[in-house]
Amino acid sequence: MSGILLLEDEPIIARNICRALGRGGHAVTHAASALEARQQLAGARFDLVLADVNLGDGDGIEVLTSAAALLSEVPIVIMTGQDTLDNRLRAEGLSV
């Protein structure tokens, strides 16, 4: 395992989360796009994934769904600024 994977396309939000977790002694890998997230998930194992729903070039929930086999034992926190019923249902239905 190699720490926390943060999927977040907003630079200021990503920087603040990385700083806060880093101060807590956590190693954080940041992926700013769906493409970067897929590459990180294919190349490393993580203890925790923090994922934004909207990643600019893709959907965080879809990225996690496509990597389900790699994440079966990994806790996942879904984050979004768009509190919609659809996002909640998709996140709750994520089977990893």
Side-chain angles (χ1 to χ4, degrees):
M1 298 280 188
S2 61
I4 298 169
L5 177 61
L6 172 64
L7 314 182
E8 175 58 65
D9 65 326
E10 293 292 332
I12 294 172
I13 294 171
R15 183 189 70 218
N16 289 338
I17 292 172
C18 287
R19 281 185 183 169
L21 293 171
R23 286 185 190 129
H26 301 283
V28 181
T29 300
H30 173 227
S33 68
L35 176 62
E36 286 180 41
R38 286 186 180 93
Q39 292 169 339
Q40 291 294 335
L41 287 165
R45 299 284 182 247
F46 296 95
D47 298 307
L48 173 68
V49 175
L50 304 174
D52 188 9
V53 172
N54 298 307
L55 293 174
D57 69 337
D59 182 277
I61 295 173
E62 290 176 8
V63 169
L64 297 172
T65 299
S66 69
L70 303 171
L71 298 171
S72 62
E73 300 294 320
V74 179
I76 297 170
V77 176
I78 305 290
M79 309 177 294
T80 185
Q82 299 175 349
D83 185 22
T84 66
L85 181 58
D86 181 56
N87 280 340
R88 284 189 212 170
L89 294 174
R90 290 184 331 117
E92 290 173 2
L94 187 62
S95 58
V96 295

